[in-house]
Amino acid sequence: MRVALILKKLQLIYVPFILLCLLFVSGYSLLHWLLIIEFQLLRIDESIINFWLPLILPWPLLFFYLRPRLKLFRFTKSNSRFIYFVIAVLLLAVPTIVVQEYLNSATGKLTQLESINALLHQPQTKYYQLNQFYIDKKHIGVQRNIEPIGKGNSELRMSLYIAMPIFAKRNESWRVGAKALAWYGKVYEKTISNRLEQQEKESLFQEFIHQSQQEFNALNPDDFVYLDRIGPSNRYSQFLLAAQKSPVYFEGYQTVLMPVNQPFEARNGHKLAWIIAWLSFGAILWLLMSLMLKLDETQASKPLAAQLSMEKPKAELYGFLAEFKPRQGFVITPILLYINALIFVLMAFASQHFIALPNSVLLDWGANLRQLVLEQQVWRLISNVFLHGGLMHLVFNLYGLFFAGMFLEPLLGKWRLLGVYLCCGLVASMASIGWYEATISIGASGAIMGLFGVLIIWIWLGLLPLADNMSLALNLTLFVTASLVMGLFGGVDNAAHLGGLGSGLLLGSLLRPNKVQSQANKKPRKILG
């Protein structure tokens, strides 16, 4: 009987997911190779092809394929099914992302050119070797770029993109009206803290320019094994802007090549090993997770076709969206989710950015900054709690808010939850400007850490029995630890995190869960159907 149950689990959820994973990775990679690499039918930013689409596409695919199968199992905690779903998305997305990087390098063809002039008469490939060429260091174009990076824009990345024209012979660069057929790219970068005084930043920038100039003067551009053609990307756009500042630029020739100083055979690095390791890890992890599930005997006794046709796709979608719909005991949390998402959409449309929003846009919409707050723009202490710097920042915080609010709102009540959220967000903002003098701070993470703080202290005080809330405790530990550890590596506003968490712990020690709703909350509620 036990063996039969194990085989049933493998049949219902393990084998189908593994097959889907292999089909998705191979199918997406095949389309990428055919449409982008081999026949070059589409010209799309590499970050979208290599990262964003592999990260986004698994969500709808698994929603319609995996979610009905998960409903055949019994979950002891209200969030377990959602956690299984998220882990499945990651197991599908991560190997797909790694495979795309491997695909770009492994399938790239190396073309031997007698001179750079032959570039016009050859099909475009990924890699090139040149027999006859002259890289002109006099008619260069330079693009300077300073951009804030990291969560809360806590760091500044200074970049110099230098585009050097490539000619077949030295004397061709001297001709009147000479135009470069391709460009040799070189980039210098340095990251500094955004918390420094403006005078210190300017001093470090001038030092960076001087050091880059010295390195460029000593550069021998002929020292390379082969050249790598840069595809559509932000890096390509920056090199193109640099090339346009050169007197020998011609808009008809926009090939940018970067030097590679390693054997061509070593271009793939350890990507293949990482692919195999991740697929193996995913297969083992999903096997263990599948075996831990308990079958719903009522559904398992039905024919397989009947089991998987319990709901039509339309009803499945409505069921998923219903989880974010306000209802008794869950009113303020979805409203906060809607407000954060709506503001981000409006900011994205206004700025024409969604992966990472510009610094100026964040300030215009109410980001937190000590200097502006001291100039009586005190409203920024609250407005920044509803702003996010990019899509992943938003998604991470919305998940944390949904998870915390799902458990906490029935115990606190809607108005106390809102009060805790705003109070912890305010304290987090004050902690941020108190610690950082010139850092732009945004995001709901400080307020969310406050909600987590309430849950943590309640578990610590025994108001939420640990044995009955083990899943909650594990997720709290992982979420809070990950947020704080990321702050140690920079780019994350740990002052806001600690301020929000500390205020949440204090409020949690003063507040008590609603006893009536606390009892009702012990009944498991199914998430995602």
Side-chain angles (χ1 to χ4, degrees):
M1 183 65 178
R2 184 177 179 84
V3 174
L5 286 176
I6 293 176
L7 293 176
K8 190 71 173 179
K9 293 178 184 180
L10 297 178
Q11 177 191 13
L12 288 176
I13 195 170
Y14 180 73
V15 174
F17 175 76
I18 296 300
L19 291 177
L20 177 66
C21 184
L22 295 175
L23 286 174
F24 179 77
V25 173
S26 58
Y28 183 88
S29 302
L30 178 62
L31 288 174
H32 178 192
W33 178 74
L34 288 174
L35 299 179
I36 307 296
I37 299 175
E38 181 66 16
F39 298 109
Q40 302 178 14
L41 299 178
L42 299 174
R43 186 174 175 82
I44 304 175
D45 191 300
E46 290 180 346
S47 65
I48 296 177
I49 294 296
N50 296 342
F51 181 79
W52 289 108
L53 284 180
L55 187 64
I56 293 172
L57 289 179
W59 289 90
L61 179 64
L62 291 176
F63 177 83
F64 290 108
Y65 185 79
L66 181 64
R67 185 168 175 263
R69 296 176 181 271
L70 287 175
K71 296 177 72 173
L72 302 177
F73 297 87
R74 290 187 286 110
F75 292 89
T76 56
K77 292 297 177 182
S78 59
N79 68 316
S80 296
R81 185 176 285 110
F82 185 66
I83 292 175
Y84 267 71
F85 186 84
V86 172
I87 291 176
V89 169
L90 294 177
L91 293 179
L92 205 62
V94 173
T96 308
I97 292 171
V98 179
V99 168
Q100 304 322 300
E101 296 293 337
Y102 175 77
L103 191 66
N104 285 324
S105 58
T107 62
K109 297 178 181 178
L110 179 65
T111 300
Q112 188 84 25
L113 298 179
E114 185 60 32
S115 75
I116 193 64
N117 294 336
L119 188 68
L120 299 177
H121 312 293
Q122 295 281 348
Q124 198 173 61
T125 60
K126 173 69 173 170
Y127 305 110
Y128 293 95
Q129 283 185 332
L130 300 176
N131 293 334
Q132 186 179 8
F133 62 92
Y134 171 68
I135 299 173
D136 186 0
K137 292 182 63 176
K138 294 183 178 180
H139 298 96
I140 64 173
V142 180
Q143 172 68 15
R144 298 182 180 183
N145 191 29
I146 302 178
E147 59 179 345
I149 59 174
K151 186 178 178 182
N153 298 316
S154 59
E155 295 180 313
L156 283 178
R157 181 167 59 201
M158 304 178 294
S159 306
L160 276 181
Y161 293 87
I162 302 177
M164 292 169 267
I166 305 177
F167 294 96
K169 298 179 181 179
R170 184 184 183 93
N171 59 5
E172 289 185 3
S173 64
W174 301 340
R175 293 183 310 178
V176 177
K179 300 299 178 185
L181 295 178
W183 297 88
Y184 179 104
K186 180 67 177 178
V187 60
Y188 297 98
E189 290 183 327
K190 183 177 182 179
T191 300
I192 64 172
S193 173
N194 199 14
R195 306 165 190 166
L196 302 174
E197 296 287 349
Q198 187 62 33
Q199 185 176 359
E200 292 179 281
K201 294 178 184 178
E202 292 178 359
S203 175
L204 288 174
F205 179 70
Q206 294 302 323
E207 179 184 328
F208 166 67
I209 295 295
H210 178 70
Q211 182 179 355
S212 300
Q213 180 68 59
Q214 290 182 323
E215 293 181 12
F216 179 75
N217 292 338
L219 173 69
N220 177 16
D222 299 350
D223 183 19
F224 62 85
V225 178
Y226 61 95
L227 297 169
D228 181 1
R229 180 177 61 85
I230 306 301
S233 59
N234 178 66
R235 182 173 57 167
Y236 173 79
S237 300
Q238 295 296 326
F239 277 125
L240 205 58
L241 289 173
Q244 291 170 1
K245 298 177 181 179
S246 169
V248 296
Y249 172 77
F250 177 60
E251 62 181 9
Y253 305 141
Q254 298 184 345
T255 300
V256 178
L257 305 170
M258 291 197 69
V260 181
N261 286 300
Q262 63 177 7
F264 181 72
E265 295 75 15
R267 68 192 183 281
N268 295 320
H270 301 290
K271 299 187 186 78
L272 184 58
W274 277 108
I275 294 171
I276 296 173
W278 183 263
L279 288 174
S280 302
F281 167 77
I284 295 172
L285 177 62
W286 193 251
L287 175 62
L288 296 175
M289 293 176 64
S290 301
L291 295 177
M292 291 171 60
L293 291 174
K294 295 183 179 180
L295 274 172
D296 186 331
E297 297 178 5
T298 303
Q299 297 296 338
S301 61
K302 298 178 181 179
L304 183 60
Q307 296 172 15
L308 298 180
S309 60
M310 289 184 295
E311 292 186 63
K312 296 180 180 180
K314 189 175 182 180
E316 283 281 317
L317 181 59
Y318 287 156
F320 176 78
L321 295 177
E323 298 300 333
F324 303 93
K325 183 179 179 180
R327 55 186 177 271
Q328 185 176 1
F330 191 69
V331 177
I332 292 298
T333 300
I335 291 177
L336 290 174
L337 292 171
Y338 299 156
I339 292 174
N340 280 280
L342 177 61
I343 292 176
F344 179 80
V345 170
L346 294 175
M347 293 173 66
F349 272 107
S351 65
Q352 299 298 308
H353 294 81
F354 72 96
I355 295 177
L357 274 64
N359 195 38
S360 58
V361 174
L362 298 176
L363 288 173
D364 290 343
W365 283 74
N368 193 23
L369 183 63
R370 180 195 289 187
Q371 179 182 350
L372 296 179
V373 172
L374 294 179
E375 293 175 359
Q376 299 184 353
Q377 298 183 25
V378 184
W379 50 272
R380 292 181 179 272
L381 294 174
I382 289 295
S383 62
N384 83 92
V385 176
F386 298 92
L387 306 182
H388 293 85
L391 182 61
M392 292 306 296
H393 186 202
L394 175 73
V395 170
F396 184 76
N397 278 349
L398 290 188
Y399 171 73
L401 177 56
F402 176 78
F403 177 80
M406 178 182 65
F407 278 95
L408 194 56
E409 186 168 346
L411 302 174
L412 268 178
K414 57 185 179 182
W415 298 121
R416 287 203 298 173
L417 176 86
L418 179 61
V420 170
Y421 182 86
L422 294 177
C423 181
C424 293
L426 177 62
V427 173
S429 298
M430 295 174 65
S432 179
I433 64 171
W435 185 263
Y436 303 127
E437 183 174 354
T439 296
I440 295 174
S441 178
I442 44 139
S445 54
I448 295 169
M449 291 286 280
L451 300 181
F452 286 161
V454 174
L455 290 169
I456 290 171
I457 198 66
W458 281 359
I459 292 176
W460 178 265
L461 296 175
L463 299 174
L464 293 178
L466 183 60
D468 295 336
N469 295 276
M470 186 60 69
S471 176
L472 170 62
L474 290 175
N475 279 276
L476 284 174
T477 302
L478 290 174
F479 199 97
V480 173
T481 303
S483 299
L484 296 178
V485 169
M486 284 191 296
L488 299 177
F489 293 95
V492 176
D493 191 349
N494 248 0
H497 285 177
L498 291 172
L501 180 63
S503 59
L505 293 171
L506 177 61
L507 289 173
S509 65
L510 300 175
L511 299 172
R512 290 297 179 268
N514 185 303
K515 293 183 179 180
V516 176
Q517 292 182 351
S518 178
Q519 293 297 324
N521 189 66
K522 291 182 180 180
K523 297 179 181 180
R525 178 176 62 81
K526 294 183 179 179
I527 298 300
L528 289 176

